[in-house]
Amino acid sequence: MIDADTRTRLLHQYPVLGETSRDTLDVLMASATYMQVPAGSMMFDENQPCMGFALLLSGTARVVKAAPNGRELHLYDVTPGEACILTSSCLLGKSTYQARCTVLTPAELVVLPPASFRLLFTASESFREHVFSRYSERISDLLQLVSAVAFQKLDQRLAHWLVQRPSPVRVTHQALADDLGSLREIVSRVLKNFADQGWVALGREQIEVLDAPALTRLSAA
C-alpha cells in the first residue's frame, strides 16, 4: 500500500488513473508498492518474467536491446507519466522481456502487481487508450529507428543526432555509440572527420556544433 502523498503524486503524473472508479482505484493503491531505485540499477533484463507494471514518479529509465558481443541498441526512454510498452506487452501476453531496462537517473516509482495491472486494463477504457496510445507512438519511433539503422549510414545518423540537440552536447563517445547502436571507435572516427571539416569542435565529453547546416545536409542526403 502507498501513502496519501505518494497517491497524490501518482495521480498528478498519471491523471488517467483518476478516471477509473473509486473502488477500483482503492484496490489498485492497496496492492501498489513504492520503490526508490538508484541510477545504474537494472529494472529488468532479457528473458526475465515481468513482476509488475511500473509507474514512474521521477527519474528516467532506458530500454535497450543487447547483443551477445556487448553492443546495445537504444530503443526508447521512459520518463514520469509514461508507460513502458515492453512491460505492457509482457503482462498482457504473459511473456518474458525481450530487452533490458536500466535506470539513468535516480528514480521513484509505484509498481502494480500483474493482477492489478490486468484489473486496471479491463476496468478502465481511459487506461487502455493510454496504453495503446503509447504503443502507437513507440512503434512509430521504433520503425524510424529500424529505417535509420537499415538504410542510413552512421555519419548520417550521427549528424541527425547532433543537430537535434542544443549545442554544446555533453556526452561521451561511448554513450553516443550506445545510442546509435555502433562501436565507440567508429563513432570517434566519424566525429574526428566532422571536426576535420570544421563542422564540430570536440572537447572532453562535449561536442560543439559549428556548422549545423552542413550536418543537416549530410543527414538528409
Side-chain angles (χ1 to χ4, degrees):
M1 178 180 291
I2 60 175
D3 59 32
D5 179 63
T6 302
R7 177 171 174 152
T8 298
R9 293 176 61 198
L10 183 64
L11 292 176
H12 175 73
Q13 292 289 0
Y14 295 88
V16 66
L17 296 178
E19 298 179 31
T20 189
S21 71
R22 181 61 180 265
D23 289 344
T24 298
L25 186 59
D26 286 344
V27 170
L28 295 174
M29 297 301 99
S31 66
T33 303
Y34 171 80
M35 297 177 62
Q36 292 181 321
V37 186
S41 299
M42 186 178 296
M43 294 282 291
F44 57 76
D45 202 356
E46 294 192 42
N47 301 315
Q48 287 184 342
C50 182
M51 305 305 293
F53 186 74
L55 299 163
L56 211 57
L57 298 176
S58 66
T60 305
R62 171 159 294 182
V63 179
V64 302
K65 180 66 177 177
N69 63 6
R71 290 176 58 185
E72 294 182 346
L73 180 62
H74 172 212
L75 300 180
Y76 59 86
D77 291 342
V78 183
T79 58
E82 295 183 335
C84 175
I85 64 167
L86 195 57
T87 298
S88 304
S89 175
C90 289
L91 288 171
L92 292 172
K94 298 182 180 180
S95 60
T96 57
Y97 284 109
Q98 297 302 307
R100 174 183 301 161
C101 178
T102 55
V103 176
L104 292 183
T105 58
E108 296 175 277
L109 51 112
V110 171
V111 180
L112 298 178
S116 295
F117 167 81
R118 296 189 184 102
L119 169 64
L120 177 60
F121 192 85
T122 301
S124 173
E125 180 180 357
S126 296
F127 182 72
R128 288 197 300 274
E129 290 179 351
H130 174 73
V131 171
F132 288 137
S133 175
R134 297 308 298 161
Y135 263 106
S136 177
E137 293 172 8
R138 291 303 188 199
I139 288 174
S140 177
D141 292 342
L142 291 176
L143 286 175
Q144 291 181 26
L145 175 62
V146 169
S147 177
V149 171
F151 304 121
Q152 282 189 309
K153 296 179 180 178
L154 178 62
D155 58 351
Q156 291 176 299
R157 292 194 286 134
L158 179 51
H160 178 75
W161 191 97
L162 289 171
V163 297
Q164 293 299 306
R165 289 160 175 79
S167 178
V169 185
R170 295 198 58 82
V171 64
T172 65
H173 291 193
Q174 183 61 61
L176 189 46
D178 291 342
D179 251 15
L180 296 173
S182 184
L183 297 174
R184 179 184 58 78
E185 294 80 4
I186 299 176
V187 168
S188 296
R189 192 179 307 139
V190 175
L191 284 171
K192 185 178 184 304
N193 179 53
F194 286 178
D196 290 343
Q197 297 187 69
W199 296 348
V200 301
L202 303 178
R204 183 175 178 81
E205 298 186 2
Q206 178 175 294
I207 305 169
E208 181 181 0
V209 174
L210 302 178
D211 192 343
L215 292 173
T216 300
R217 287 193 296 272
L218 174 62
S219 67

